[in-house]
């Protein structure tokens, strides 16, 4: 079992709709969780992070964490074609420590 | 967030040779990491570059193949030694920065081994 798992997709979403991405992790020692966006040929860019159970909102993005279920999600509201990218979920055991990445979910937003 | 640069941005190398990749940060950072992203794959951590001591390697990666230097708090190098086509990947430097130690990535080095 991989430490961090994501559906590889592609997740096809009409423009303006909500994209829902899921991530599960196996190590209960994981404390913080990160979502990165990676455009083809580019390096990952941080979207947001979460370390407390519940929801965290930043603009059109909402991260959700449920430590009991070992589940992290990312919602993208009002999806735009520019949101088409691969979204990487990562887990971290301690602040400043290494990240363990999931395989990534490819998102396609269709106009 | 810290500004990270990497050199070279890309290179094409012959098998059996070595390539050294540089990572420069515009501010002092405690933690620096080297990741590999093979074609169509996600990121895999190679090692944590420790300032003043030997790097900490992940399972499957060894110092003889991927020697790392970290002479100060703003600079690190990763060498890919005795390269084979299987080493063709993107190599990414990352640093922990900011009040919450979030991790940011450099632009990456795209390596092709023929």
């Amino acid at each position: 079992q991989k430490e961090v798992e994501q559906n590889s997709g592609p997740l096809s979403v009409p423009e303006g709709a909500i994209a829902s991405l899921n991530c599960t992790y196996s190590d209960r020692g994981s404390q913080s969780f990160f979502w990165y966006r990676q455009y083809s040929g580019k390096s990952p860019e941080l979207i947001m992070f979460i370390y407390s159970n519940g929801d965290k909102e930043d603009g059109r993005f909402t991260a959700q964490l449920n430590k009991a279920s070992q589940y992290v999600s990312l919602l993208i509201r009002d999806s735009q074609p520019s949101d088409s990218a691969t979204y990487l979920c990562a887990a971290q055991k301690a602040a400043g420590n290494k990240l363990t990445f999931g395989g990534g979910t490819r998102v396609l937003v269709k106009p | 967030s810290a500004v990270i640069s990497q050199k070279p941005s890309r290179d094409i190398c012959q098998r059996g040779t070595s390539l050294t990749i540089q990572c420069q940060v515009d501010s002092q950072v405690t933690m620096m990491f080297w990741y590999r992203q093979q074609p169509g794959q996600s990121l895999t951590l190679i090692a944590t570059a420790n300032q003043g001591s030997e790097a900490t390697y992940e399972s499957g990666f060894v110092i003889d193949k991927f020697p790392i230097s970290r002479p100060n708090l703003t600079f690190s190098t990763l060498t890919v030694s005795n390269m084979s086509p299987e080493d063709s990947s993107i190599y990414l430097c990352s640093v922990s920065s900011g009040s919450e130690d979030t991790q940011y990535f450099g632009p990456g080095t795209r390596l092709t081994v023929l």
Side-chain angles (χ1 to χ4, degrees), chain A residues 46-98:
Chain A
L46 181 67
I47 299 174
M48 62 191 306
F49 63 92
I50 186 168
Y51 48 80
S52 298
N53 277 325
D55 296 359
K56 180 180 179 182
E57 187 174 314
D58 185 356
R60 294 187 297 114
F61 299 97
T62 299
Q64 299 173 318
L65 173 61
N66 183 325
K67 289 188 177 181
S69 300
Q70 296 177 249
Y71 177 90
V72 192
S73 66
L74 180 71
L75 301 178
I76 307 174
R77 289 183 299 281
D78 187 24
S79 296
Q80 301 297 310
S82 58
D83 294 325
S84 296
T86 296
Y87 289 79
L88 300 167
C89 172
Q92 185 184 56
K93 288 189 178 181
N97 215 330
K98 65 180 182 180

Side-chain angles (χ1 to χ4, degrees), chain B residues 64-85:
Chain B
D64 289 348
K65 177 67 175 177
F66 298 101
I68 288 171
S69 78
R70 176 103 190 259
N72 56 52
L73 294 176
T74 63
F75 186 78
S76 178
T77 66
L78 169 74
T79 299
V80 186
S81 302
N82 188 24
M83 289 184 285
S84 67

